[in-house]
Structure formats: C-alpha cells, structure tokens
Amino acid sequence: TPPVQTKKACLLSVKISVKPVRSPPKRIVWAILPNPASQPVPNSTIQSKFPAILPVSAPALAPRNPSSQRLSASPSAATGRTDARALHQQLVLGTVLGSTEPSLETPAELIALIQSVWAPSTLSQRKHLWNRLQAFRQTRPRESHDRSTCVMISQMSNVSLGTRKTYAAALRALLLQCQIPMPTTGLLVKALANMGANVPESPAHPATKQDVLDLMAIFTPLLPRLSVSIWLMWKTASRWDDMRGLSRENFLVLSPEEIIIHWGETKMNRALEPLATNFTVVKDPLPMLHALHIVQSLSPGEKLATLTTSEFVDKIRPHKPLLTAHSF
C-alpha cells in the first residue's frame, strides 16, 4: 500500500476515535485501510506519527444533571417529601394515612385553622364520607383509595346519580388534597355526569311573588326577622346560609329607595375576595319600610336570621307545602 494512502487512512481513523461519546475511548483504534485484511493499529503507532492529533487520554463525559442525581439519592429529600405529605393529610383529614407516629402529630389549632376554609356542612360531609370509605376499605385492605372509592360509589344503588356524583367528587377532592392520585375516580365523576347526574331528578318548586307576600303576612306579626329574611332571600336569589351570615354591618345603605347589601363570607366566596358580585342593590316599593325598620333595630354584630336550614323549612312547610329552601 502506498504510504500516502496509509497516512490518510490513519488520519481518518483518528478523527472518528476522538468523536464525543458517553463512554471513554478505547485504547485500540481501528484504521480504515484500503486493504480489507489489514490489522488494527495500536494508539502508540498513531501517536508517534501524529502527536498533535491523538491525546494520550480522553476524560469521560460528566453526567448531564448531577444535581438531580444527588437529590434523588439523598435520603433527606425523600424524608422531606414524606413529612410534607403526612402534614398535608393531617391538615385535611386530621390523621395520617397508615401511620401513628407521635412525631407526625400536628397541633389541633393548626388543623382547625386550615379546615376553616370549608363550610361546616362541607366539612361534616367529608368526614362522614371519609369514615364510610375507611369502614369499606377494612374488607379490601390491599386496594388503593382510588379503586375502593370507585367500587363503593358503584355499589350505592339506593341513591340517585346526582348524590353518587357528589360523593365521588367530594372523596376525590379530599384525597387529592392529601396528595393521593385518584385518576379512576375522576373518570367515574365524568361518567356519572354523562349519565345525567347534573340534572336534578326533583327540582325545587320556584316561589312566586305571591308566595313570598303570603309568607311575609303570616310571619310579620310573630317573626318579623324571618319575614324580612324571606323577602331578601327571594329578591337576591340567595341561599339561606347566606342570609344567616347577614348582620347590621352588611347593610351599607338603608333608605326608602334602595338597600345595598355587602355579602360577607358566602359559600362561593369564603376567601372574602373583593368582587363586584359581593354587592347587591335591592329596590322594591312595597316592603321596603318594613325591612328598614327591622334591619335598623339590629344591634352591632347581631344576625338577621338565626334558624338553621331544616328549621326554616319546618316553618314554611305547613303554609306552603311545595316550597323548600331552594325555592327562593
């Protein structure tokens, strides 16, 4: 073989050998020679002929993200994630799933403070559902929370689709806040919605203006605050729980022409965000003077309505059997 061709072949083999790879280069580099029966050329031979091309040793490439490897291998990082998940479970449920270690206990004051973001009825419902799920899982200890929830909801044949969807959505939200994945339960909620769970099977009978005036005429002599609450609830299309939150300070303007209400903590705005929907202007020439007299008679901090929802329904049901708390 002519010498010039051999040098070109060796030079080509050197260029290939120093190409960046993830593993260190081999000690023996194969030369691409015109002769197919050629033998491998050692590195020492190539370095003696081309000292400026082939380095003596090539360092190995560093890992792409060494910091992530150190983080995943660090036991303190895993412990921190476990402690954070346990704390979150205690804040939501008041207990840690599958653990009774004293070091994971959370002060009751902190738990009560975090749980105050929910309405008492919502918190009570979630605790009831959680206890029901825990009792159900005692017979299926190896199943995940996601699967147990779906099986329990699917076996509730004595309740409506809307109630089953409400239960499934509440348990899913509760366990997601505990950082427990619930993918199948999310699909179940969508399936129940497609089956008509969002459509009420027996909607409340709407209250007419004549119904409201009849109730006001009945309750004004004995329960004047209840009569005003019924009128305001109908005029503002509010929940009875929202009426129970009204005190003298929530009425910004009281005049014969209009009443301006600033709603405080409601079901849709427990964070007390400054929204335009927090204000309602009421205008009605008929019962305005009566409402003004009742509201102005309230002491600072005194509530306009004190009855619970069930007590309110018990008051109006003898006079208007078709009406419920959702009729207004």
Side-chain angles (χ1 to χ4, degrees):
T1 303
V4 178
Q5 295 181 3
T6 304
K7 291 182 179 181
K8 288 183 178 181
C10 293
L11 181 61
L12 180 60
S13 68
V14 171
K15 289 183 179 181
I16 295 177
S17 66
V18 299
K19 183 178 180 180
V21 292
R22 295 195 58 82
S23 60
K26 297 181 179 180
R27 294 184 178 276
I28 300 298
V29 180
W30 291 81
I32 302 177
L33 302 176
N35 185 6
S38 60
Q39 299 297 325
V41 182
N43 281 356
S44 58
T45 304
I46 300 176
Q47 187 176 4
S48 62
K49 295 183 178 181
F50 308 99
I53 296 179
L54 182 65
V56 177
S57 61
L61 296 178
R64 293 183 178 180
N65 192 359
S67 60
S68 63
Q69 295 181 357
R70 290 195 300 269
L71 180 61
S72 61
S74 175
S76 60
T79 304
R81 288 192 296 269
T82 303
D83 292 345
R85 179 172 179 174
L87 173 61
H88 205 87
Q89 291 175 2
Q90 274 205 335
L91 294 178
V92 176
L93 300 175
T95 183
V96 180
L97 302 181
S99 176
T100 57
E101 297 182 17
S103 59
L104 297 177
E105 292 182 357
T106 305
E109 296 81 3
L110 179 58
I111 295 177
L113 182 63
I114 298 298
Q115 290 181 346
S116 65
V117 300
W118 299 306
S121 58
T122 303
L123 186 59
S124 176
Q125 181 199 55
R126 290 191 172 188
K127 287 184 177 180
H128 170 72
L129 290 175
W130 170 249
N131 294 332
R132 190 170 178 177
L133 177 62
Q134 288 297 92
F136 181 79
R137 294 190 73 243
Q138 289 181 358
T139 60
R140 316 166 75 95
R142 296 188 177 182
E143 282 188 353
S144 63
H145 287 84
D146 188 23
R147 180 177 175 82
S148 297
T149 301
C150 293
V151 175
M152 186 184 73
I153 297 298
S154 63
Q155 293 180 358
M156 294 181 179
S157 57
N158 58 336
V159 298
S160 63
L161 289 176
T163 303
R164 292 161 68 180
K165 175 179 175 293
T166 301
Y167 289 170
L171 284 173
R172 178 175 179 269
L174 181 65
L175 292 171
L176 283 179
Q177 289 176 338
C178 294
Q179 301 180 5
I180 298 176
M182 302 287 287
T184 310
T185 308
L187 295 176
L188 177 62
V189 172
K190 294 182 179 179
L192 292 173
N194 293 337
M195 294 171 61
N198 293 332
V199 180
E201 296 181 359
S202 56
H205 185 77
T208 63
K209 185 175 183 179
Q210 188 60 45
D211 292 333
V212 175
L213 294 178
D214 293 342
L215 291 175
M216 290 185 66
I218 294 171
F219 293 120
T220 296
L222 301 177
L223 300 171
R225 294 187 185 180
L226 178 59
S227 65
V228 173
S229 300
I230 292 174
W231 175 67
L232 288 177
M233 183 171 59
W234 180 72
K235 289 291 291 184
T236 60
S238 303
R239 298 177 176 88
W240 179 253
D241 285 341
D242 297 341
M243 301 306 304
R244 295 180 60 196
L246 291 180
S247 62
R248 177 65 179 82
E249 290 74 16
N250 294 105
F251 294 88
L252 303 182
V253 175
L254 291 169
S255 68
E257 292 78 21
E258 63 182 10
I259 296 177
I260 300 180
I261 302 174
H262 177 223
W263 302 97
E265 181 180 336
T266 63
K267 185 175 182 179
M268 303 302 296
N269 187 27
R270 298 203 173 276
L272 298 178
E273 299 179 4
L275 304 175
T277 53
N278 293 347
F279 300 88
T280 303
V281 180
V282 180
K283 292 185 177 183
D284 195 334
L286 189 58
M288 289 289 285
L289 296 179
H290 172 60
L292 289 177
H293 174 72
I294 297 301
V295 174
Q296 290 174 349
S297 65
L298 296 176
S299 302
E302 188 177 5
K303 299 295 183 180
L304 176 64
T306 57
L307 299 177
T308 63
T309 303
S310 59
E311 292 173 344
F312 168 70
V313 174
D314 293 339
K315 291 289 184 182
I316 66 173
R317 185 61 60 84
H319 310 284
K320 297 292 182 179
L322 297 179
L323 299 186
T324 65
H326 299 279
S327 299
F328 301 88

